[in-house]
Structures are given as structure tokens and as C-alpha cells.
């Protein structure tokens, strides 16, 4: 019997039944626009369908040209476009799941000069000002939604999801923030939601009664002049009356300054708002955002906060998530850590989406788990992310792997990352690595320092994943006892004073500043999160916003860099602003263009814009980059063709777990 009975309870929609209560949320992957991408997309969905997902929702497809998110983004408006979609639906159905097409009109978020919206109000995240739709344009757009849904039905989809949240087109009509119209689609709330009701009715009329219609309802806008709770409830009732089958929860506009899906967000942080609608409508409701374990999903369903749960990125991290949960093997799930580095960051940079902890995501046709016909014995030097990802993949392919680690535990730089407030999810990746090592029978020798003699131990191949060490600086006074490096602070837990200067404002510098700023006072609870980011669970104001309740750090912290550009400019595209704002909350002083003169008993002397001053600090933490631990590799590679190098030992410009894990998996498949 499964430990998660509510997850695997079927849901009867009257005309069809979902085999479980898990919806795989919409994700744009970038495969949609690639030549031959639909074949790869079919393989991507097939893996998730075979993994047990009850209902898959595709990435957003526009109902017309003006609604495309980009000029060459996908739309579904013509019969000749159906062939690729039938490839997806046939594949998913053969694998035992159902699939819905998400219809997404970008509105003013569309990144092209032909975008349209309720009013001609430019988005802060797009350079293109939209044109306000005419009444005729609104009527045509409603018909375009209906035609798109009808074509989806012909393509074999089981239903559609109409995107009405996250600040996209329909959401722009609903909110006073973006709807300044004075006709029958503006003004009072009944007018502002008119297009939503008309769209749903038009879609239902086209597709008939036996077709799933999900409406993605923005329950929390997190922007000024967003919706009120009463309006959300009223709209939910209108959605039900207009013919929807399911209401999915939408959280936050893209322009909102509130984290909604990043790792800093507590798990199931927004299931409370879905619960508020349970007594108001009779439709099944979907809870979403930061649900990444079967335990969390089971809790939401068992407590009746929602009828289904939506998970998107967790199925990037592990396509077999549900099969493992049903078999009571949740410890074997490769958990999504909500880092956004290879999924959302890639999509917003117009790259192919994947996953930091599972680089095989969206590369299913490249990485097939075919056992090798020629097993090798392989030594791996270093048990960080690169070494462990290689070891697990190579062993799975039928090789015999032994891992050597000089420290007393596996994990490498992940043992640093897990200590950072807001990055606690890295514990899950270490748990996954340990579980896979045990399951596969990989030999791990800890507290073992490797030298040249490893070349004489009979291994067919040696893989160096020996990581990095902090880069040394040559500032006068660098040997002062008040100087520490980031590993001493984050891993060895060396004592740090009350006034601190951090040299280097890359990812490690920001992590170190966060660690010190939050200190022991960090409380990763939902209430603390809501207070810090101004989320009002009582929903007393439009958009569910309230004044932030911020507690400054009990340390004085300076974060410095030599470059004159803004600090944190190269942090993650979708999460960098969160890191910067969190440090501002804590009162961290950020200084760019700093020339480090010397370290002395008074502190750190710097020059900025020609002014010399001494920062009176007790501790200076060096976060000025890394150097590769690759000396032994260099010695052996000259005499042995079977020596390989991956991860930070290969390239140490930045600590990059995404690249390290990908390199590990890629190298392992050379031994398949």
C-alpha cells in the first residue's frame, strides 16, 4: 500500500477520469521552436507519462499572432499545424496519461511590437508598448481562443488550459492596474471579467461538454491595483458557470516583486489561497507553486486544501517522481531544488530548458540508459556534484565505479550551498546522491587523499572531479588573522566578527553575505517569509500586499567588488533580483569599483572614485573566485590516455553546479 493514498486517488470529472491527483504544470522548454523539436518534445512528455503523471499541460501556445510571446513562438490557428500536436497526444496517450494544451495569449508581455492589451499601458518587463484592443479586436480574439481549443480537440488533446494568470492577457483585463477602459470591457468588475466569461463560453460551445477546460485563475496578483479576494471569488464562480472543468491556481504577476517559485519560497507557500476558494465553488481546485515532494502533495490533498496538486519543475528533476512515490521510494526521488538555473533562466535567455539536478531533462533522445556491453572499472577522484553525477550515471550504465573523497563526507560545494539561508533544498540533492550510491552499490572511500599511485591500481579510467579551492589574493596584509576565505566561514564555521567586509560579489560573495546577514536569526517559516516580502494572508488590500516587516542584520556587512557595474549583475536571470533585495532587507552595504589598498589592524582600506577610506571591520572574507584542484590530473594526463577531468577541476571561473553535473552525466555516457 502506498504511503500517499490521496495522491493516487482517481478524480472523476463526469465525462472522463484522471488516474491520480497530480497535474504536470505548463512549462515552455524551447523544444517547441526547434527544428524537429516536436519529436524531442514527445520523448520528453512520454517519459513523464510513463512516470505516472495523471494529466500533462503543455507549454503555452498562442491563439493568434498578436498573442505570441515572441515573433516566432508557437500558435495554433490552422489545420495544417495539427500534425506535430498529434505526435504529442498520441505519444502521451500510448504511455497511459492525458494531456491538455495551454492556450496563452501574452498581451502586453508579448515581446514584439504587435502586442495588444486591455489598455495601452506598457509593461515594466517589456520594451514594447501594447495597442489597446478595439471592440472588434476583442470579439476576434475570443473567437481565436475558441478556434484554438477546437483545433486542440482535433489534434487529440484531452482538454485545454486557458491561461488567465501571471499577468498575461486575460489577467490584464481583470486588474484595474492594466485596464483603464471606459467601454463594456472596463470600469466595474463585471465589465473587466466579461472577456473571461465570453472566452470560456465560446470555447465550451466549440468543444462540447466532454472536453476538459482548465482555467488558470490569478488568486494572488502581488501587484498594486491587482484583484481583491472578493473579486477572485466572484470570478471563480463566473468561471464555473461559464463551463470550466477545473480551476488551477495562479500566483503572482511576472512583474511582481515577490518571490513565488524560487528556492527561498517555503514549500506549499500558497496552498492557503486555494483552500480559501474550496467553500465557494464546486469545481476541482488545483494547488500549485513549491510543491516538490510527495509528502507535501499528500498533506495538501489529505487536508482538503485542494483537489489536485500541480507540479512542473519536479518533473524536470525526476520524470519517475510518481512511480517512486507510489512504490514508497520517495527517498530515491531527485528533488527539484527550485534553483531556476537550467529551467526558467534558460527559457528567458532563449536557451533550451533543462534541470540542474537532472541535465537529461529535454535531452531524452540524447541520453538513453542502454547498458554497456563493455563494463569498465573507473576511479572517480572527488565526491562533489560532478563526481557524484558521473559515478551514479556510469554505474547505472553497467560500469564498476569507485569514488575517492579526501573529506569525511560526500557533497563538495553542495555542503556549502546547503548552509545558505534559502538554499536548504540542497540537502535533498545530497540525500538523493546518498540513496543512489546505496542502491547502485557504488564504492565510496572517504578521508582518502589520492596521489600518483592511483595510476597503478588497475582502473581502466580515472575521472578527476577534484573541485576547486578559493583563489588567493595578494593584497598587502592578506596574512592578517582577521582574514578568512569563504570555505572557512561556510563549511568550517570559523568565528566571524560583528563588522565584516566581503571581497568579491559573485555568487559565493552573495551567498556568504546572506549567510552572515541572516545568521542564526533566519526563520524559514511561511509567516516570516510573508512578513519579509509583504504578503497579506488576510487579503485586506488589492493584490494581497502589505507593508514589509524587515529586521536588519545584527552584523554590519560590506559586500565589495572591483568592477564598477551593479553588484549581482551576473546572478541568475530570474532569481538575481531576489538575492539583491534580500541583502538590502538586511542592510548589507554594497560597494562597486573598490580598489583594495591593504588590510591592517583597523580594517580594510579601499579606494572608490578616488577617495581612500578604511572600513573598520573585524573580519575580511575572501570570495574572489576559485582555482582548480587539477595538479594531479596534469601529471597523469601526460602519461595516461584514460584520464578525464570534469567540473570545477576542469573550469573554475565560477562554481557552476549546473555545468558540473551535466559534464558528469555526459562523460558517463561515453562509457555506455
Amino acid at each position: 500500500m502506498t504511503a500517499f493514498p490521496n495522491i493516487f486517488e482517481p478524480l472523476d470529472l463526469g465525462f472522463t477520469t484522471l488516474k491520480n491527483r497530480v497535474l504536470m504544470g505548463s512549462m515552455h522548454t524551447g523544444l517547441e521552436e526547434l527544428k524537429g523539436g516536436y519529436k524531442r518534445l514527445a520523448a520528453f512528455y512520454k517519459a513523464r507519462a510513463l512516470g505516472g503523471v495523471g494529466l500533462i499541460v503543455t507549454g503555452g501556445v498562442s491563439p493568434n499572432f498578436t498573442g505570441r510571446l515572441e515573433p516566432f513562438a508557437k500558435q495554433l490557428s490552422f489545420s495544417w499545424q495539427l500534425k506535430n500536436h498529434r505526435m504529442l497526444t498520441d505519444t502521451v496517450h500510448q504511455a497511459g496519461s492525458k494531456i491538455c494544451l495551454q492556450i496563452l495569449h501574452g498581451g502586453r508581455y508579448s515581446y514584439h511590437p504587435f502586442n495588444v492589451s486591455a489598455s495601452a499601458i506598457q509593461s515594466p518587463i517589456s520594451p514594447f508598448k501594447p495597442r489597446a484592443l478595439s471592440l472588434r479586436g476583442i470579439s476576434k480574439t475570443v473567437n481565436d481562443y475558441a478556434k484554438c481549443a477546437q483545433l486542440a480537440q482535433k489534434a487529440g488533446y484531452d482538454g485545454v488550459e486557458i491561461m488567465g494568470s501571471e499577468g498575461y492577457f486575460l489577467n490584464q483585463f481583470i486588474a484595474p492596474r492594466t485596464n483603464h477602459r471606459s467601454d463594456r470591457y472596463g470600469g466595474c468588475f463585471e465589465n473587466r471579467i466579461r472577456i473571461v466569461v465570453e472566452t470560456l463560453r465560446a470555447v465550451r460551445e466549440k468543444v462540447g461538454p466532454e472536453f476538459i477546460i482548465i482555467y488558470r485563475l490569478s488568486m494572488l496578483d502581488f501587484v498594486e491595483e491587482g484583484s481583491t479576494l472578493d473579486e477572485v471569488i466572484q470570478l471563480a464562480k463566473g468561471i464555473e458557470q461559464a463551463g470550466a472543468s477545473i480551476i488551477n491556481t495562479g500566483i503572482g504577476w511576472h512583474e511582481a516583486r515577490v518571490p513565488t517559485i524560487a528556492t527561498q519560497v517555503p514549500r506549499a507557500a500558497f496552498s492557503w489561497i486555494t483552500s480559501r476558494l474550496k467553500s465557494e465553488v464546486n469545481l476541482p481546485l488545483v494547488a500549485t507553486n513549491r510543491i516538490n515532494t510527495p509528502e507535501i502533495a499528500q498533506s495538501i490533498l489529505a487536508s482538503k486544501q485542494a483537489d489536485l496538486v500541480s507540479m512542473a519543475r519536479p518533473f524536470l528533476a525526476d520524470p519517475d517522481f510518481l512511480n517512486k512515490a507510489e512504490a514508497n521510494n520517495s527517498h530515491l526521488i531527485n528533488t527539484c531544488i527550485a534553483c531556476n538555473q537550467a529551467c526558467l533562466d534558460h527559457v528567458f535567455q532563449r536557451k533550451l530548458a533543462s534541470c540542474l539536478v537532472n541535465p537529461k531533462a529535454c535531452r531524452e533522445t540524447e541520453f538513453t540508459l542502454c547498458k554497456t556491453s563493455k563494463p569498465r572499472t573507473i576511479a572517480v577522484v572527488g565526491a562533489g556534484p560532478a563526481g557524484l553525477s558521473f559515478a551514479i550515471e556510469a554505474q547505472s550504465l553497467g560500469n564498476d565505479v569507485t569514488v575517492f573523497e579526501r573529506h569525511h563526507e560526500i557533497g563538495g560545494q553542495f555542503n556549502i550551498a546547503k548552509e545558505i539561508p534559502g538554499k536548504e533544498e540542497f540537502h535533498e540533492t545530497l540525500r538523493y546522491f546518498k540513496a543512489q550510491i546505496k542502491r547502485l552499490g557504488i564504492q565510496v572511500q572517504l578521508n582518502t587523499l589520492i596521489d600518483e599511485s592511483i595510476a597503478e591500481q588497475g582502473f581502466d579510467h580515472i575521472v578527476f572531479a577534484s573541485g576547486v579551492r578559493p583563489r588567493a589574493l595578494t593584497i598587502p596584509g592578506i596574512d592578517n588573522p582577521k582574514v578568512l576565505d569563504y570555505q572557512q566561514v561556510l563549511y568550517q564555521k570559523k568565528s566571524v566578527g560583528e563588522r565584516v567586509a566581503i571581497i568579491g560579489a559573485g555568487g559565493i560573495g552573495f551567498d556568504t553575505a546572506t549567510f552572515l546577514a541572516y545568521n542564526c536569526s533566519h526563520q524559514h517559516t511561511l509567516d516570516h517569509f510573508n512578513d519579509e516580502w509583504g504578503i497579506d494572508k488576510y487579503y485586506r488590500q488589492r493584490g494581497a500586499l502589505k507593508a514589509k516587516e524587515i529586521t536588519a542584520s545584527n552584523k554590519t556587512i560590506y559586500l565589495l567588488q572591483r568592477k564598477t557595474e551593479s553588484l549581482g549583475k551576473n546572478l541568475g536571470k530570474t532569481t538575481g533580483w531576489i538575492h539583491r533585495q534580500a541583502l538590502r532587507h538586511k542592510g548589507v552595504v554594497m560597494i562597486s569599483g573598490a580598489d583594495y589598498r591593504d588590510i591592517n589592524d583597523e580594517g580594510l582600506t579601499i579606494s572608490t572614485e578616488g577617495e581612500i577610506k578604511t572600513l573598520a571591520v573585524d573580519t575580511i572574507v575572501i570570495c574572489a573566485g576559485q582555482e582548480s584542484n587539477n595538479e594531479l590530473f596534469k601529471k597523469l594526463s601526460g602519461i595516461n590516455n584514460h584520464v578525464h577531468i570534469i567540473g570545477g577541476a576542469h573550469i573554475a571561473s565560477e562554481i557552476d553546479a549546473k555545468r558540473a553535473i551535466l559534464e558528469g552525466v555526459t562523460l558517463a555516457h561515453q562509457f555506455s
Side-chain angles (χ1 to χ4, degrees):
M1 179 180 293
T2 181
F4 311 107
N6 294 86
I7 292 177
F8 297 100
E9 180 183 355
L11 178 64
D12 185 1
L13 295 176
F15 58 90
T16 191
T17 299
L18 305 182
K19 66 180 179 181
N20 57 48
R21 300 302 180 100
V22 177
L23 179 154
M24 176 175 144
S26 173
M27 291 180 287
H28 186 81
T29 66
L31 291 169
E32 296 86 349
E33 286 78 38
L34 287 182
K35 184 178 181 180
Y38 271 86
K39 182 177 180 180
R40 294 175 61 181
L41 192 61
F44 170 76
Y45 287 139
K46 178 181 180 180
R48 278 77 197 163
L50 291 173
V53 175
L55 177 62
I56 293 170
V57 179
T58 71
V61 174
S62 178
N64 56 32
F65 175 76
T66 58
R68 292 184 181 188
L69 287 178
E70 295 180 343
F72 299 102
K74 291 299 180 182
Q75 73 180 78
L76 179 57
S77 303
F78 308 102
S79 296
W80 59 265
Q81 297 171 317
L82 296 180
K83 180 180 178 181
N84 283 331
H85 290 276
R86 288 195 181 104
M87 186 191 311
L88 302 184
T89 57
D90 288 347
T91 298
V92 169
H93 291 152
Q94 290 165 11
S97 187
K98 298 183 185 297
I99 184 169
C100 289
L101 177 84
Q102 187 188 74
I103 306 177
L104 187 156
H105 188 301
R108 72 178 193 155
Y109 283 169
S110 294
Y111 207 82
H112 56 73
F114 306 103
N115 64 351
V116 297
S117 185
S119 300
I121 302 171
Q122 187 172 346
S123 160
I125 61 175
S126 172
F128 301 104
K129 185 176 181 178
R131 172 176 56 86
L133 265 183
S134 64
L135 292 177
R136 182 178 178 183
I138 290 173
S139 178
K140 181 182 182 304
T141 301
V142 169
N143 290 333
D144 289 341
Y145 272 95
K147 183 179 180 181
C148 184
Q150 186 180 44
L151 288 170
Q153 189 176 42
K154 289 181 179 179
Y157 287 101
D158 300 283
V160 293
E161 177 177 79
I162 297 174
M163 174 52 111
S165 67
E166 268 78 357
Y168 288 113
F169 176 74
L170 293 175
N171 212 172
Q172 293 161 22
F173 272 83
I174 297 166
R177 178 183 181 88
T178 43
N179 187 339
H180 293 182
R181 303 177 73 97
S182 57
D183 58 16
R184 60 195 181 98
Y185 291 94
C188 67
F189 186 65
E190 288 76 9
N191 283 353
R192 299 200 310 274
I193 66 172
R194 188 185 303 276
I195 189 173
V196 175
V197 174
E198 289 179 351
T199 298
L200 281 166
R201 286 176 176 166
V203 169
R204 180 54 76 194
E205 184 178 350
K206 282 286 188 182
V207 300
E210 297 187 355
F211 192 67
I212 300 169
I213 300 177
I214 307 168
Y215 187 83
R216 185 77 177 266
L217 171 62
S218 183
M219 297 188 190
L220 296 167
D221 289 341
F222 291 150
V223 291
E224 295 179 357
E225 297 184 273
S227 295
T228 66
L229 178 58
D230 287 342
E231 289 174 344
V232 171
I233 292 171
Q234 184 179 340
L235 178 53
K237 292 178 178 179
I239 291 166
E240 181 174 22
Q241 293 170 2
S245 314
I246 297 170
I247 293 178
N248 195 0
T249 301
I251 304 294
W253 288 31
H254 285 313
E255 63 203 75
R257 294 291 88 181
V258 176
T260 57
I261 57 174
T263 190
Q264 293 88 344
V265 180
R267 292 175 177 176
F270 308 112
S271 59
W272 60 270
I273 187 59
T274 312
S275 179
R276 294 284 286 272
L277 260 67
K278 281 286 288 179
S279 61
E280 304 290 345
V281 294
N282 296 313
L283 291 181
L285 299 180
V286 185
T288 188
N289 286 49
R290 288 290 285 127
I291 302 167
N292 67 338
T293 70
E295 290 79 9
I296 292 292
Q298 171 68 19
S299 175
I300 290 170
L301 296 170
S303 62
K304 307 298 182 184
Q305 293 183 77
D307 303 287
L308 301 100
V309 294
S310 172
M311 292 182 279
R313 294 170 301 165
F315 292 113
L316 283 175
D318 197 331
D320 293 317
F321 182 107
L322 285 173
N323 285 345
K324 292 175 180 178
E326 190 169 23
N328 296 327
N329 287 326
S330 60
H331 64 292
L332 296 177
I333 292 174
N334 196 1
T335 305
C336 167
I337 60 175
C339 66
N340 290 359
Q341 291 182 37
C343 51
L344 288 175
D345 283 357
H346 276 206
V347 169
F348 282 105
Q349 293 168 347
R350 294 164 182 79
K351 298 178 181 178
L352 182 68
S354 189
C355 178
L356 182 148
V357 299
N358 176 29
K360 293 187 288 185
C362 298
R363 298 185 177 97
E364 285 74 17
T365 57
E366 298 174 38
F367 295 117
T368 56
L369 201 61
C370 297
K371 294 275 188 176
T372 180
S373 60
K374 184 182 178 183
R376 291 89 159 178
T377 59
I378 306 172
V380 178
V381 181
L388 293 174
S389 64
F390 171 84
I392 291 167
E393 195 74 7
Q395 189 89 0
S396 297
L397 291 167
N399 298 288
D400 183 10
V401 180
T402 302
V403 179
F404 300 93
E405 170 56 49
R406 64 190 180 97
H407 290 109
H408 68 282
E409 59 183 346
I410 68 166
Q413 297 295 325
F414 273 18
N415 289 312
I416 291 176
K418 72 183 183 183
E419 300 298 326
I420 310 304
K423 291 191 174 182
E424 292 84 356
E425 293 286 13
F426 281 88
H427 283 278
E428 296 292 347
T429 308
L430 291 175
R431 180 265 309 150
Y432 169 76
F433 282 152
K434 292 173 183 176
Q436 292 295 337
I437 286 169
K438 181 178 180 180
R439 181 182 74 86
L440 294 167
I442 297 171
Q443 300 178 62
V444 179
Q445 296 186 23
L446 301 175
N447 299 307
T448 303
L449 192 61
I450 295 299
D451 57 24
E452 291 94 328
S453 65
I454 193 171
E456 309 302 324
Q457 294 181 27
F459 291 103
D460 297 324
H461 292 268
I462 303 170
V463 175
F464 281 89
S466 39
V468 298
R469 57 180 177 269
R471 185 166 67 89
L473 297 182
T474 56
I475 302 170
I478 195 70
D479 294 329
N480 192 298
K482 65 175 61 178
V483 177
L484 301 172
D485 64 52
Y486 66 85
Q487 288 189 349
Q488 291 173 309
V489 173
L490 300 176
Y491 188 61
Q492 299 175 25
K493 302 296 192 301
K494 296 282 188 180
S495 178
V496 174
E498 296 303 306
R499 298 176 62 84
V500 186
I502 299 171
I503 294 178
I508 284 292
F510 267 80
D511 279 352
T512 302
T514 301
F515 176 81
L516 296 174
Y518 282 84
N519 205 5
C520 297
S521 66
H522 180 63
Q523 299 288 332
H524 199 52
T525 66
L526 182 55
D527 287 341
H528 283 88
F529 173 79
N530 288 341
D531 288 343
E532 181 175 358
W533 292 98
I535 299 170
D536 182 14
K537 286 186 70 173
Y538 296 101
Y539 222 135
R540 289 164 290 201
Q541 304 292 331
R542 286 189 173 277
L545 296 174
K546 68 174 184 178
K548 296 177 181 178
E549 300 175 30
I550 297 170
T551 303
S553 173
N554 57 9
K555 293 182 183 292
T556 299
I557 301 172
Y558 300 94
L559 181 59
L560 306 103
Q561 69 178 22
R562 291 186 187 274
K563 296 178 181 178
T564 55
E565 64 190 25
S566 299
L567 275 72
K569 180 180 179 181
N570 296 320
L571 297 176
K573 190 171 182 65
T574 60
T575 56
W577 70 270
I578 303 173
H579 297 300
R580 291 188 290 270
Q581 191 58 53
L583 293 189
R584 293 189 189 104
H585 289 171
K586 289 299 180 182
V588 173
V589 180
M590 301 187 195
I591 301 174
S592 62
D595 181 23
Y596 311 116
R597 293 300 188 94
D598 77 305
I599 297 167
N600 49 61
D601 291 340
E602 284 71 40
L604 172 65
T605 301
I606 63 171
S607 172
T608 57
E609 297 181 345
E611 178 186 356
I612 298 175
K613 58 183 176 181
T614 297
L615 304 178
V617 294
D618 311 308
T619 307
I620 294 109
V621 185
I622 308 300
C623 302
Q626 301 79 35
E627 298 173 340
S628 295
N629 287 320
N630 59 12
E631 290 78 9
L632 185 55
F633 165 77
K634 290 179 179 178
K635 289 181 181 179
L636 295 182
S637 61
I639 58 174
N640 190 331
N641 293 329
H642 294 168
V643 177
H644 315 269
I645 190 165
I646 54 176
H650 179 212
I651 300 173
S653 57
E654 284 286 344
I655 294 177
D656 188 347
K658 177 180 68 174
R659 176 180 56 79
I661 293 175
L662 173 59
E663 287 183 0
V665 171
T666 301
L667 179 61
H669 278 264
Q670 294 183 21
F671 301 108
S672 64

